[in-house]
Amino acid sequence: MKSICLGLLFSFILEGVIAQNNVDSLTAIVSQNMRDTAYFESLYRLGVEFERRDSKKAIAYFKRAIEDSKAAGPDKWTALSAIRLAGVYSAMGINDSAELYFEIPAGFIQKKPKELKVRLGYFTGLGIHNNRVGNYWEAIRNYEEVAKIDISVVGKENLAGNYINMSNVYGGLGMVGERMDAIFLALDIFEEVQNKLGLSFCYNALGNLYYSQEDYEKSEKWYQKSLDLRIEINDRIGSAGALSNLGIVMMDTDRFSEALEKFSQAKVIYQDMGYKENISNTLINVGKTYQRMGKLDSALNNFNGSLRIQNEISENPNNAFVLAEIGRIHSQLANKKNAEEFLIAAINKAKVKNDPVSRRNAYQFLSDHYKRNGRYKEALDFQGKFQSIADSLQNANLKLKLQTLETRYEFDKKEAEINLLKAEKERDQLAIERQSIRQTGILIVLVLVVLIAMLLVNRYRILNKARRQLEIEKMRSEIARDLHDDLGSTLSSINIISNMAASSPNGNLVTSLTKISEQSSRMMEDMSDIVWSINPNHDTLEQVVIKMKTFASEILEPKNITFVMEVNQNIKDLKLDVEKRKNLFLIFKESINNAAKYSEGSSVKIQIVAENGSLKFTIEDDGKGFDPNAIKVGNGLRNMESRAARINGKLNRVSAPGKGTSVTLEIPIT
């Protein structure tokens, strides 16, 4: 797990620092307790003033504004106070309270939709909260609502703040280009108006960007610039975040003493302001620093401290992670009982929290623990569980990449539409303003049209190039995943079985060698399938059919099962891409294996038909069949369904006792 980065996303509507005499004036208005508009506005502005340097005072002012407005119902200032209070609780990790206070402005907006300042604050704050808890797409929708508000209401500085907030979401989604564009758009505006708080957020965002690219030298430079500005404007919570980020860079560059010093300074600020989640995260970073230094006892103490704080926080996302790290250290210290207890607790907590990454890590640590202690059967079991969840995470990452590509496409489409609308507006204005010199106007319009056409053609070329690159990267990722998942898992199993054989009596040697032989054969077969699927000489469907026929013959004939393959003639010149070709063959392979293993039949009929833009193939056996409702769905069927979904195919399996089994797959080929 990458070090926990603490770049705070607490950039609501940006407001300048209030002079001390204005603070005194606001305090005087509040002391009169008039319960009028000036009273509630003063409470709001005082809360904003202390928001970033004394969270306890800020919470008190915001709560007072909300509580004192209950009799008459919230006005604009109490709705804004609720937004800011929800933001403070979100930054502190108290999510239940944050969501509760967001309900106040939501109701206010429904009643008064024309109060655009409240709408601006609400969607900005909600977007920051959603981004913090990992709801990236919901955060994007929140920021898009901000972008719809007229610029005269939003203002330049809040427009720049929205760019910064969007850049944080792009970072979570891995959209590096969009993230960089948003940061520099914000930076230009903040430099123009010399807003120091806004500039400090931009510098921190640049530090995060370079950190994600592992350019630690530049990352440290920008974090330091952010820290210097935050100290200058007395932004304590921002200073703590910058100190933590500097500590993480120093930890990753093996400057452990400096890292511990930065974490210590940040921890003091978080403790003073009551930010428990940030204290917990800081202890995690300190623990990981000691872990890298080889000081396992010190690492264990800090992880235990983080865990104690996390148990006080509702919905803490790092709970399972810390339990797993504690278990791993106990294993390294040979505390067998404690190691097993904490790792199993981490697995259970990850299941409850629906945290597959922490569950995967805990499975791996537990497998390593059992292997370290010679319990090879348990090690093999948890290695299999680790591999299973790793596969599901790979599928989830692929889905996220597809969503990201769809979002990029929508953004590009909107941008092209805006460019065309601007061009049409300019053309119309020229026609009206220069009617007396029509020939010149027409020439200008033609020049504009040519330029736009050139831009669109160039953009089309860039997009095509990008798509081709993505296809290449996707194919490389698929090959790497197949080699890692299929061969890596098999080699790991062979290693564990070999260790079991070495430590077992000679009576089990034959069984272990048989298992190794079976695993090796399967690995050779998987390697053959991978090499065949990426060979460009096998692009045509005709080559796929030949491969299918060979495989069916090798599997069915030794079982005395006859087979007939019927293929219509119009498939001869059809070509399939690597993804469809590979998954089509693997589904066929699984179906034939099932027929050979379980049908107890005497014949198999295979039909392949291409018509109406689709490829349909059917495998029918005359075996004993089964009741679909009476059997448990296994990995084989799940894999077939998953592979069919990857190529937009429809998979159907029909069977009944005594009536054989039929498997049908239909995929688009246009």
Side-chain angles (χ1 to χ4, degrees):
M1 178 176 177
K2 196 71 173 173
S3 303
I4 297 172
C5 192
L6 303 177
L8 296 177
L9 310 174
F10 195 45
S11 53
F12 285 102
I13 305 171
L14 294 165
E15 303 193 30
V17 178
I18 303 174
Q20 183 58 46
N21 59 338
N22 286 336
V23 171
D24 294 338
S25 299
L26 294 171
T27 305
I29 294 171
V30 169
S31 66
Q32 295 174 15
N33 203 24
M34 296 297 290
R35 308 294 177 95
D36 56 6
T37 300
Y39 171 81
F40 290 113
E41 181 181 355
S42 299
L43 284 171
Y44 166 76
R45 294 199 180 281
L46 284 168
V48 171
E49 169 61 16
F50 289 101
E51 197 173 42
R52 302 193 65 76
R53 54 193 176 96
D54 191 334
S55 58
K56 294 177 184 177
K57 284 187 178 181
I59 290 171
Y61 282 123
F62 292 140
K63 276 192 172 181
R64 185 173 172 183
I66 295 165
E67 291 296 323
D68 289 353
S69 71
K70 282 185 176 179
D75 67 358
K76 177 177 74 174
W77 297 108
T78 54
L80 289 172
S81 294
I83 293 168
R84 305 298 286 226
L85 181 57
V88 175
Y89 281 131
S90 176
M92 295 173 72
I94 309 174
N95 296 330
D96 291 342
S97 296
E99 290 164 6
L100 178 66
Y101 281 104
F102 274 128
E103 291 176 4
I104 295 174
F108 181 84
I109 290 170
Q110 284 185 340
K111 293 178 181 178
K112 298 183 179 181
K114 293 185 179 180
E115 285 286 359
L116 298 181
K117 284 285 187 183
V118 178
R119 188 177 186 85
L120 167 63
Y122 172 70
F123 283 111
T124 301
L126 195 59
I128 292 167
H129 174 70
N130 279 318
N131 189 23
R132 191 188 69 80
V133 299
N135 297 332
Y136 298 126
W137 300 104
E138 190 62 35
I140 284 179
R141 284 189 282 273
N142 296 146
Y143 295 142
E144 285 176 345
E145 289 295 326
V146 173
K148 293 176 184 178
I149 302 173
D150 191 270
I151 186 65
S152 63
V153 176
V154 176
K156 276 189 174 182
E157 290 168 288
N158 288 317
L159 175 64
N162 202 47
Y163 285 138
I164 283 292
N165 292 331
M166 288 294 288
S167 76
N168 289 322
V169 183
Y170 292 142
L173 293 170
M175 299 166 66
V176 178
E178 288 83 352
R179 183 183 189 185
M180 189 177 296
D181 290 343
I183 291 172
F184 283 107
L185 284 170
L187 187 62
D188 286 343
I189 295 174
F190 285 135
E191 285 180 341
E192 178 188 341
V193 299
Q194 278 302 293
N195 185 305
K196 292 183 179 180
L197 179 58
L199 285 171
S200 70
F201 277 109
C202 288
Y203 296 158
N204 188 75
L206 285 169
N208 290 339
L209 179 64
Y210 285 115
Y211 179 82
S212 68
Q213 298 173 347
E214 299 186 2
D215 189 338
Y216 298 125
E217 183 177 351
K218 290 182 180 177
S219 176
E220 184 174 350
K221 181 187 89 170
W222 287 109
Y223 284 146
Q224 186 63 52
K225 284 172 72 73
S226 177
L227 176 62
D228 293 342
L229 262 185
R230 293 177 189 275
I231 292 173
E232 181 183 340
I233 62 178
N234 196 22
D235 177 8
R236 296 189 70 214
I237 190 64
S239 299
L243 286 165
S244 295
N245 288 333
L246 284 167
I248 290 167
V249 172
M250 291 167 181
M251 176 177 63
D252 287 346
T253 51
D254 297 337
R255 293 143 59 196
F256 301 126
S257 297
E258 295 176 72
L260 292 172
E261 176 63 25
K262 297 299 181 187
F263 293 142
S264 176
Q265 293 172 18
K267 182 183 171 186
V268 169
I269 297 174
Y270 290 138
Q271 287 175 329
D272 187 41
M273 297 188 70
Y275 277 53
K276 287 187 177 181
E277 184 174 15
N278 298 93
I279 298 170
S280 171
N281 289 340
T282 304
L283 289 172
I284 290 174
N285 284 324
V286 173
K288 290 194 72 67
T289 304
Y290 279 124
Q291 201 174 32
R292 294 187 186 188
M293 295 169 69
K295 297 182 177 181
L296 298 183
D297 289 331
S298 297
L300 186 60
N301 287 336
N302 281 277
F303 285 135
N304 281 327
S306 174
L307 185 62
R308 283 193 294 272
I309 296 173
Q310 287 180 12
N311 289 332
E312 302 171 7
I313 303 173
S314 62
E315 299 182 14
N316 189 281
N318 297 318
N319 199 276
F321 165 76
V322 174
L323 287 168
E325 289 295 338
I326 292 173
R328 179 161 67 159
I329 292 177
H330 276 303
S331 177
Q332 292 167 339
L333 292 172
N335 300 329
K336 298 180 182 179
K337 183 179 178 182
N338 288 342
E340 193 167 353
E341 286 179 357
F342 275 100
L343 289 169
I344 291 173
I347 292 168
N348 293 332
K349 182 65 70 172
K351 288 179 180 177
V352 172
K353 295 285 186 180
N354 193 23
D355 180 2
V357 174
S358 293
R359 188 146 54 103
R360 179 198 62 189
N361 293 343
Y363 283 148
Q364 183 65 69
F365 296 162
L366 196 53
S367 177
D368 293 341
H369 171 70
Y370 286 137
K371 186 176 178 181
R372 186 180 289 117
N373 289 280
R375 296 167 62 179
Y376 298 113
K377 185 178 184 303
E378 290 97 329
L380 181 61
D381 181 38
F382 279 96
Q383 178 70 24
K385 291 181 178 180
F386 161 78
Q387 194 59 57
S388 176
I389 200 167
D391 291 342
S392 67
L393 283 172
Q394 181 71 29
N395 291 334
N397 287 335
L398 178 59
K399 183 178 179 181
L400 180 60
K401 287 178 182 179
L402 290 173
Q403 288 178 322
T404 303
L405 288 173
E406 289 173 1
T407 303
R408 286 182 177 175
Y409 171 74
E410 291 298 326
F411 286 166
D412 288 343
K413 188 168 69 173
K414 287 180 181 178
E415 186 178 351
E417 289 172 356
I418 290 169
N419 287 338
L420 286 172
L421 287 172
K422 286 180 179 178
E424 290 174 2
K425 185 176 179 180
E426 290 176 5
R427 183 189 63 193
D428 292 341
Q429 288 175 343
L430 285 170
I432 293 170
E433 293 173 2
R434 301 186 181 185
Q435 287 181 358
S436 60
I437 47 172
R438 183 172 296 176
Q439 290 181 341
T440 305
I442 292 173
L443 180 62
I444 292 173
V445 171
L446 289 173
V447 170
L448 285 172
V449 171
V450 170
L451 285 174
I452 293 169
M454 291 174 64
L455 286 171
L456 290 174
V457 169
N458 187 53
R459 186 176 187 80
Y460 176 79
R461 289 175 178 171
I462 292 172
L463 285 172
N464 270 350
K465 184 177 179 181
R467 289 192 187 98
R468 287 195 298 272
Q469 186 63 33
L470 281 171
E471 290 172 358
I472 293 171
E473 290 297 322
K474 181 180 177 184
M475 184 175 72
R476 291 174 61 190
S477 297
E478 287 286 335
I479 295 169
R481 187 188 69 188
D482 287 343
L483 289 173
H484 175 272
D485 291 354
D486 294 336
L487 305 189
S489 177
T490 304
L491 287 172
S492 179
S493 298
I494 290 173
N495 175 256
I496 291 173
I497 293 168
S498 300
N499 285 324
M500 291 174 65
S503 61
S504 300
N506 291 335
N508 295 329
L509 184 59
V510 173
T511 301
S512 298
L513 290 174
T514 301
K515 289 182 179 179
I516 292 173
S517 175
E518 291 172 352
Q519 296 276 18
S520 302
S521 298
R522 187 169 68 84
M523 186 168 67
M524 293 171 63
E525 183 179 349
D526 289 344
M527 175 65 81
S528 175
D529 288 344
I530 291 170
V531 172
W532 177 84
S533 67
I534 63 174
N535 190 335
N537 293 329
H538 301 148
D539 280 352
T540 63
L541 188 55
E542 186 176 21
Q543 291 294 325
V544 178
V545 170
I546 293 171
K547 176 77 170 176
M548 288 177 174
K549 192 175 294 185
T550 301
F551 177 80
S553 176
E554 291 172 352
I555 297 300
L556 298 176
E557 288 182 0
K559 299 278 187 177
N560 294 320
I561 299 174
T562 61
F563 74 96
V564 177
M565 180 174 282
E566 298 176 359
V567 182
N568 66 345
Q569 296 301 312
N570 56 355
I571 71 160
K572 183 177 181 181
D573 297 321
L574 287 178
K575 289 191 174 184
L576 297 175
D577 58 38
V578 173
E579 182 76 0
K580 286 184 179 178
R581 188 168 70 245
K582 182 183 75 173
N583 286 294
L584 178 65
F585 176 73
L586 291 176
I587 292 171
F588 173 85
K589 184 177 177 181
E590 184 69 23
S591 300
I592 293 297
N593 276 327
N594 287 342
K597 289 179 181 178
Y598 310 118
S599 73
E600 299 181 9
S602 60
S603 66
V604 173
K605 182 179 180 181
I606 304 166
Q607 288 183 310
I608 302 176
V609 179
E611 60 184 8
N612 300 324
S614 296
L615 177 67
K616 181 178 180 181
F617 83 85
T618 304
I619 301 173
E620 295 179 296
D621 65 63
D622 62 352
K624 65 181 181 180
F626 59 91
D627 182 1
N629 297 319
I631 66 165
K632 182 179 178 182
V633 177
N635 289 332
L637 180 57
R638 279 194 291 268
N639 287 339
M640 290 169 69
E641 291 173 345
S642 174
R643 293 185 181 281
R646 287 184 201 171
I647 55 177
N648 298 320
K650 296 179 181 178
L651 183 71
N652 186 35
R653 188 175 68 167
V654 178
S655 185
K659 295 184 178 181
T661 301
S662 171
V663 177
T664 303
L665 174 67
E666 186 172 357
I667 61 171
I669 54 175
T670 56

